[in-house]
Amino acid sequence: MTVPARGPCVEIFDVIATFLEKCQFRAAADAIRVQCKEKELMLEADFAKNFRGLVDSSALLLSELESIAYAGQPPAVSEEEDLQLEQYIDGLLRKLMASGQSLSDDKLHTTIEQVLSKDAFSKLASAEGALDRNAIGDNLGINEIDVQRYWEQIQKESGMADIPPADDAAAAAGAGTEAQAVPADAPAEAQQLQAAPQLGGQLQPPAPSNHYVARRPRGSTGADEDWDEGDEYHDDDDPGYRIREIYEAELLAELSVKMTTKAAAPQQQSSRGDVVDELASAVSTPAPADPLLSPGATGGEKPSSSPVPFPAGEEAGLVNAQASPAGAATPAEEVRPASPTFGGTVPAEESGAGAGTAATTPPPVADVDAAAAAAAAKQQLEAEERARQEAEAEKAKQEKYARQKKLVKYAASGDPFYPVELEGVVYDSFGLRIVFERDKTGFEESKEFPIRMNSVVAARYQILEYLGSAAFSRAVQCLDLETNKMVCMKIIKNDKDFFDQSLDEIKLLKYINVNGDVDENCVLRLYDYFYHKEHLIIVTELLRDNLYEFSKFNRECGDEPYFTLGRLQKIAKQVLTALDYVHSLRLIHCDLKPENILIRSYSRCEVKVIDFGSSCFVDDHLSSYVQSRSYRAPEVMLGLPYDQKIDLWSLGCILAELWTGYVLFQNDSVQSLLARVLGIVGEFPYHLMTRGRYVPQYFTQDGQLYQEIDGPACPDRGRRLHLLVPKKSSLQQRMRTDSPEFLDFLTSLLQLDPSKRPTAAEALEHPWLAQCKYSDGL
């Protein structure tokens, strides 16, 4: 029943608070008193019985402790261990109270029984080691971020002094224990020894791993020591490029002059150096987001019919005739007008012009023509050799996929007719249950699915908590009344495109779940799916926060950084395991990002890969619009064929972001993304630039990044453009890590040429993923 905040229930809860205070659980007692002051309280009918059972259980526990302490055994529990026990139980109460109504009575009772049956007290008495302070929290399935926020609010309202969370205090105690086992100043060799059992059951772990330390902005006190001389960034939020504003007519005139001069004098300096010299009037701030840019400037998914710097008609023919013979290196079916000469120069080994670069006077015209012909012939041979190698690689890849296809399993259709093969195509099916209310039509007044706390969906799933929303779905935490398990229910928005994509996700999740152990392979487990109230609903296992939200919270709350090298090592190993499994099923994830990696356990640093709604098979008709932009691979941006290697590029971006707390390739457009890639990773390989379908949308003929500015064009000078000049930096300068193996691992994942990027299986063999390297790692 509900009673006024100052009614008899207040006295009851005050008695409970006093009891907890006597038991040294002051934080829980203060929280109860604060809630008594601020809100009306509820007393369930079985409250007295449940509370009496809890008190009786506590009495049994206390009597057990007394028997241990005084039955002829020496009281071996020290003050430090006693404090640790108090913090352990206090942390449990914090999580129980912060959970509010999200725990059923059965779940709560089961959890209390787990606490009472723990051997933690005997461990304390025999001094075998620190308590596993997070074991109960993991069993509860409570979001630790919500627990932290809850207690911060309680402390603020009650005026309590800052009390460190139980997890942090126990971590500090655990750190002290480790410090005795392995001194901080121990030699590196001793710190990296494999952990081995010692006397008393203790383990001697390697030294703790370090974490990223943010730079101070240039110009601030003591910032000079934070920055390398070759790093042009101002701070970690630097956009990574400079902007030069120019009109279309001026750009075309510059291109014409450069191409003419280049044909006559191969020793001329690169156009990129000329642009840097002309930056006296450059704007040093990034370009504002421009929602009215041409399709090529905003997304890069649809090729523009007339890229700005590539003139059409006779002018295009003139410029192409003046350009270096790069087109000869491109297969016939991929030749396009105005192939760019990246950076204003062609590599000497590809252009054949290297012999003339050191000349002080222009060579004779006949020599230039002969050199050009020789270069064209050499490029043709190289193109044919590259095409032959690619054909062989593609054949080997198809044979590998064919072998994999024979090994995979498919979920049973439950249909007597399917699967069936017709003209070499196997057709299959799966059943979709339609859950409805009898004596009622399926028409709903609102297109939004009603989410009401404690309501039951489809007579089975009780909604307990709203988890969040995405572009085409909303997620809620539910109690499965049939299995008594906590699950995640994903409600797809009432839209045909979203519905179709989600049907694909169900199909792929069934395929992924039936071919292996989803826990061992770190991928999402599917429980159920059905159609109800004009919405498709997918039920999966319940996980914790995604890496983006947790990383953001970890930075904002000022706690010790969670993403150390050791934990990043664990995350990388698990994500690579998931990718290796998914890739073995001939799938590409296509949307790997921090939001799609969810935490399974905070204490053990366990994660799972989710969201296969954008995934596809390797032999599908691959879309050019895949991957979130900040994690998009170069071959996708440039409009080249792609494969499973794009997931490895995304993983490199994710690990760099978790390490530093900043998006590695920050951007507000594809051009700004390309500018940061050029400045940090380096120039794109020549063969990628000559073959990319979208290159003319982003690069001028001499390899400068450009972006159209919104607004009317000038009648005489044409449209206004921004030329984006990348700032010089490097992956090592951005990461600021003293671990060469970690840097080498990232460098391998962020190879611009996908043929040089490792597969997931190859990346798993990297030395950085060796075990026992870090105390909190593998």
Side-chain angles (χ1 to χ4, degrees):
M1 61 178 179
T2 304
V3 298
R6 301 299 175 187
C9 286
V10 175
E11 298 179 1
I12 296 175
F13 281 100
D14 187 61
V15 171
I16 296 173
T18 303
F19 169 76
L20 293 173
E21 198 169 37
K22 295 289 187 183
C23 296
Q24 302 299 317
F25 303 139
R26 301 183 186 88
D30 287 338
I32 291 176
R33 291 194 176 102
V34 168
Q35 292 197 6
C36 287
K37 295 177 182 177
E38 299 295 333
K39 62 184 70 173
E40 293 186 355
L41 301 174
M42 300 288 293
L43 278 182
E44 298 180 357
D46 295 335
F47 173 80
K49 181 180 68 175
N50 294 337
F51 184 69
R52 185 180 298 111
L54 178 61
V55 172
D56 292 343
S57 299
S58 301
L60 291 174
L61 174 61
L62 290 173
S63 64
E64 182 180 346
L65 287 175
E66 286 184 354
S67 64
I68 293 175
Y70 299 109
Q73 300 179 10
V77 179
S78 65
E79 293 183 2
E80 180 181 353
E81 291 165 340
D82 186 62
L83 176 62
Q84 189 178 1
L85 173 59
E86 177 185 333
Q87 292 167 342
Y88 179 75
I89 302 298
D90 185 68
L92 172 64
L93 287 173
R94 285 169 179 263
K95 294 181 180 181
L96 286 173
M97 296 183 65
S99 66
Q101 298 295 325
S102 64
L103 294 178
S104 64
D105 289 343
D106 290 341
K107 180 69 174 177
L108 183 60
H109 185 263
T110 303
T111 302
I112 293 174
E113 287 184 344
Q114 290 173 350
V115 176
L116 297 177
S117 62
K118 281 286 178 181
D119 59 350
F121 311 109
S122 59
K123 284 185 178 180
L124 277 176
S126 59
E128 288 186 353
L131 289 171
D132 184 2
R133 60 186 181 279
N134 288 300
I136 301 300
D138 288 340
N139 291 337
L140 286 174
I142 300 172
N143 188 316
E144 293 188 7
I145 294 180
D146 293 338
V147 173
Q148 178 71 12
R149 290 171 178 161
Y150 171 85
W151 284 99
E152 287 177 355
Q153 183 66 23
I154 290 296
Q155 292 182 6
K156 184 184 298 182
E157 293 176 355
S158 64
M160 293 164 55
D162 288 338
I163 300 176
D167 286 3
D168 292 346
T177 304
E178 289 182 0
Q180 295 176 3
V182 181
D185 56 353
E189 294 80 1
Q191 295 177 357
Q192 295 179 0
L193 287 176
Q194 182 173 355
Q198 303 294 331
L199 293 176
Q202 294 291 331
L203 296 179
Q204 186 175 358
S209 60
N210 58 351
H211 58 80
Y212 178 80
V213 179
R215 290 178 177 88
R216 289 163 287 190
R218 289 189 189 271
S220 61
T221 304
D224 293 341
E225 61 192 38
D226 291 344
W227 293 87
D228 298 330
E229 184 177 349
D231 195 347
E232 296 183 350
Y233 278 42
H234 178 269
D235 54 35
D236 285 329
D237 287 314
D238 195 302
Y241 56 89
R242 301 180 182 88
I243 292 179
R244 178 188 174 209
E245 190 171 313
I246 192 172
Y247 281 91
E248 181 181 8
E250 297 169 357
L251 177 60
L252 291 175
E254 285 186 7
L255 289 173
S256 180
V257 171
K258 288 177 181 178
M259 293 303 171
T260 304
T261 308
K262 179 184 169 83
Q267 76 276 11
Q268 185 180 1
Q269 293 182 354
S270 69
S271 61
R272 175 166 295 183
D274 296 337
V275 172
V276 175
D277 293 340
E278 295 171 0
L279 285 178
S281 59
V283 181
S284 60
T285 55
D290 192 348
L292 300 178
L293 289 175
S294 63
T298 55
E301 289 76 31
K302 298 181 180 179
S304 173
S305 58
S306 179
V308 179
F310 292 83
E314 296 180 0
E315 292 181 355
L318 175 63
V319 174
N320 291 334
Q322 296 168 345
S324 61
T330 308
E333 67 276 10
E334 295 179 350
V335 171
R336 53 169 176 71
S339 295
T341 302
F342 185 63
T345 60
V346 180
E349 64 275 10
E350 298 188 1
S351 68
T357 55
T360 57
T361 59
V365 175
D367 293 345
V368 173
D369 292 342
K378 183 178 180 180
Q379 289 177 355
Q380 181 66 28
L381 291 175
E382 290 175 350
E384 292 175 356
E385 178 63 20
R386 187 182 299 114
R388 184 187 65 80
Q389 293 175 355
E390 291 177 351
E392 292 179 355
E394 183 64 25
K395 181 180 178 181
K397 187 186 300 183
Q398 293 302 327
E399 291 176 353
K400 174 186 175 183
Y401 292 152
R403 291 193 299 270
Q404 291 175 342
K405 193 172 183 179
K406 293 179 181 179
L407 298 175
V408 300
K409 296 183 293 185
Y410 298 90
S413 66
D415 189 288
F417 182 76
Y418 295 103
V420 63
E421 183 175 353
L422 178 64
E423 297 179 352
V425 179
V426 178
Y427 294 88
D428 207 339
S429 71
F430 67 86
L432 178 65
R433 300 197 318 278
I434 312 297
V435 180
F436 61 93
E437 299 176 21
R438 285 185 177 178
D439 303 320
K440 183 180 179 182
T441 63
F443 177 77
E444 298 293 329
E445 296 181 0
S446 172
K447 292 294 183 182
E448 290 291 328
F449 191 92
I451 295 179
R452 294 187 293 270
M453 294 300 107
N454 297 315
S455 63
V456 179
V457 176
R460 176 171 177 176
Y461 300 102
Q462 183 179 11
I463 298 177
L464 300 179
E465 184 180 351
Y466 181 78
L467 297 177
S469 62
F472 57 89
S473 64
R474 292 179 294 168
V476 292
Q477 176 180 335
C478 295
L479 174 65
D480 185 346
L481 299 179
E482 179 180 351
T483 63
N484 202 33
K485 288 183 178 179
M486 291 292 178
V487 296
C488 174
M489 189 169 72
K490 184 177 178 181
I491 304 168
I492 311 302
K493 292 182 180 178
N494 189 347
D495 180 274
K496 185 182 184 303
D497 290 340
F498 299 154
F499 179 88
D500 291 343
Q501 185 172 349
S502 299
L503 285 179
D504 269 343
E505 183 174 14
I506 293 172
K507 176 178 68 178
L508 293 181
L509 281 174
K510 286 169 64 68
Y511 176 62
I512 290 170
N513 277 237
V514 78
N515 273 282
D517 189 317
V518 292
D519 291 334
E520 289 184 1
N521 292 296
C522 306
V523 290
L524 184 67
R525 182 183 299 277
L526 175 69
Y527 284 138
D528 193 11
Y529 54 90
F530 55 92
Y531 188 83
H532 180 55
K533 290 192 175 182
E534 298 183 354
H535 287 77
L536 180 62
I537 295 175
I538 304 175
V539 181
T540 65
E541 64 177 311
L542 179 67
L543 299 171
R544 314 293 180 83
D545 282 279
N546 64 62
L547 292 185
Y548 170 76
E549 292 291 343
F550 181 65
S551 176
K552 180 181 176 182
F553 172 78
N554 182 242
R555 294 193 310 271
E556 291 177 350
C557 72
D559 287 347
E560 184 74 12
Y562 181 83
F563 295 103
T564 61
L565 285 178
R567 293 195 179 104
L568 285 182
Q569 189 194 43
K570 281 187 172 182
I571 292 171
K573 177 72 175 289
Q574 293 170 84
V575 175
L576 283 173
T577 300
L579 291 180
D580 185 35
Y581 173 63
V582 170
H583 292 173
S584 71
L585 301 177
R586 301 178 299 112
L587 289 173
I588 311 174
H589 187 280
C590 289
D591 195 20
L592 196 64
K593 55 185 178 181
E595 292 89 335
N596 287 339
I597 303 174
L598 266 57
I599 297 175
R600 188 182 179 196
S601 169
Y602 294 98
S603 59
R604 296 186 296 272
C605 193
E606 294 178 354
V607 298
K608 279 197 170 189
V609 175
I610 68 162
D611 197 350
F612 294 89
S614 301
S615 301
C616 60
F617 287 90
V618 291
D619 47 4
D620 275 343
H621 177 67
L622 301 180
S623 169
S624 59
Y625 182 65
V626 294
Q627 300 185 290
S628 297
R629 191 165 60 201
S630 296
Y631 313 95
R632 192 173 295 167
E635 56 268 37
V636 177
M637 289 187 283
L638 298 181
L640 291 156
Y642 61 86
D643 57 16
Q644 297 163 328
K645 298 285 187 70
I646 67 174
D647 291 337
L648 279 299
W649 174 276
S650 299
L651 176 58
C653 299
I654 292 169
L655 294 175
E657 180 178 338
L658 295 177
W659 170 246
T660 64
Y662 296 89
V663 176
L664 179 60
F665 302 122
Q666 299 176 41
N667 64 89
D668 53 26
S669 65
V670 175
Q671 288 89 335
S672 59
L673 172 58
L674 288 169
R676 284 187 67 103
V677 172
L678 288 170
I680 296 174
V681 182
E683 296 185 350
F684 290 100
Y686 180 75
H687 67 91
L688 298 184
M689 294 294 292
T690 57
R691 298 167 58 198
R693 288 178 296 161
Y694 303 144
V695 169
Q697 295 178 229
Y698 309 131
F699 293 93
T700 64
Q701 181 111 11
D702 60 345
Q704 299 180 76
L705 275 169
Y706 77 91
Q707 188 171 18
E708 183 181 349
I709 303 175
D710 184 36
C714 176
D716 299 328
R717 305 166 70 185
R719 288 166 286 188
R720 288 190 307 153
L721 305 172
H722 275 162
L723 297 181
L724 280 61
V725 183
K727 289 186 177 181
K728 183 181 177 182
S729 185
S730 69
L731 192 60
Q732 181 177 6
Q733 290 164 338
R734 301 268 49 85
M735 294 298 101
R736 296 184 67 205
T737 174
D738 56 359
S739 172
E741 290 181 341
F742 174 56
L743 190 62
D744 183 72
F745 181 75
L746 285 183
T747 302
S748 67
L749 297 182
L750 296 176
Q751 287 286 338
L752 294 171
D753 189 344
S755 65
K756 298 179 180 179
R757 216 175 295 151
T759 64
E762 292 168 347
L764 282 168
E765 301 299 322
H766 194 277
W768 182 64
L769 295 179
Q771 293 191 357
C772 303
K773 186 179 294 293
Y774 308 107
S775 61
D776 54 356
L778 295 170

